[in-house]
Amino acid sequence: RANLDKRTLLSRIFNRLQTQVSTTESPVERVWYHTSTGNKVGVRATLTPSTFLGTAYPVDEAELQVTFDFPQARSYDFYQIQWVESDRDLMLGWHQDETHMDLGECHFQIDHQGDTVQRAEAAFLDAHPLNVFDRRLDDLVDVLDALTWDDDIPTLPRGTLR
């Protein structure tokens, strides 16, 4: 990690996703950098959920949003890895940052229709950021499979998160 800066990491994530765009079995349809004032701050990708999950899914398109940061004042990396469905106004994902420290260094959050409907402690991953990215993508499959809707509110049953 000592030799890794944010720009290099985002380029590696971008390239990893971009190489999948041309394959027919890939869930990745499009990849782009999210920028702020001309600087790369994240990577975003449009995905086909049914292909990503290997099963039928209620929406045809989702967006993967990935950001990483390496704050010098902290002994660990910050990241957000999120799944966003505009059709259902749903966003869920992991945030390893300085917010909600009552839940530890990392938490999982579900937002629906502009409100946070669930927030829970998640496993703190002190690993190389590319390993964190891979692990969270694997976890995402399990989370989406376990997601339930009660009275049109998305929830994740206890014990599902890692």
Side-chain angles (χ1 to χ4, degrees):
R1 280 191 273 186
N3 295 331
L4 192 63
D5 61 47
K6 184 159 96 174
R7 179 181 211 125
T8 302
L9 175 63
L10 293 177
S11 294
R12 287 182 182 174
I13 292 170
F14 178 94
N15 290 338
R16 185 176 288 183
L17 292 168
Q18 183 66 31
T19 59
Q20 297 178 38
V21 171
S22 59
T23 64
T24 56
E25 297 87 27
S26 173
V28 182
E29 296 176 10
R30 181 175 159 242
V31 182
W32 68 100
Y33 288 107
H34 178 65
T35 59
S36 177
T37 61
N39 295 314
K40 297 175 188 175
V41 295
V43 174
R44 297 196 174 174
T46 305
L47 304 177
T48 305
S50 59
T51 307
F52 179 74
L53 297 168
T55 188
Y57 196 75
V59 299
D60 294 329
E61 186 175 276
E63 184 175 294
L64 179 66
Q65 299 179 347
V66 180
T67 61
F68 274 89
D69 198 12
F70 307 111
Q72 297 204 359
R74 295 293 181 153
S75 61
Y76 59 92
D77 306 332
F78 286 3
Y79 66 85
Q80 289 188 359
I81 298 175
Q82 304 179 128
W83 174 271
V84 179
E85 298 175 11
S86 58
D87 288 351
R88 298 198 288 183
D89 199 5
L90 172 70
M91 182 192 74
L92 55 85
W94 293 266
H95 300 182
Q96 187 163 292
D97 54 25
E98 59 191 0
T99 64
H100 310 291
M101 293 305 289
D102 55 315
L103 298 173
E105 290 95 347
C106 186
H107 66 276
F108 181 85
Q109 183 169 317
I110 301 175
D111 292 345
H112 182 248
Q113 296 181 342
D115 293 321
T116 300
V117 296
Q118 186 174 1
R119 188 177 289 130
E121 183 177 356
F124 172 70
L125 301 179
D126 188 19
H128 189 283
L130 289 173
N131 293 341
V132 169
F133 175 70
D134 290 339
R135 164 86 183 270
R136 290 305 186 202
L137 284 187
D138 289 344
D139 293 345
L140 184 57
V141 173
D142 296 335
V143 163
L144 291 170
D145 187 48
L147 191 69
T148 60
W149 292 78
D150 297 317
D151 295 324
D152 293 324
I153 306 288
T155 58
L156 201 57
R158 285 191 175 278
T160 305
L161 279 178
R162 293 184 225 160

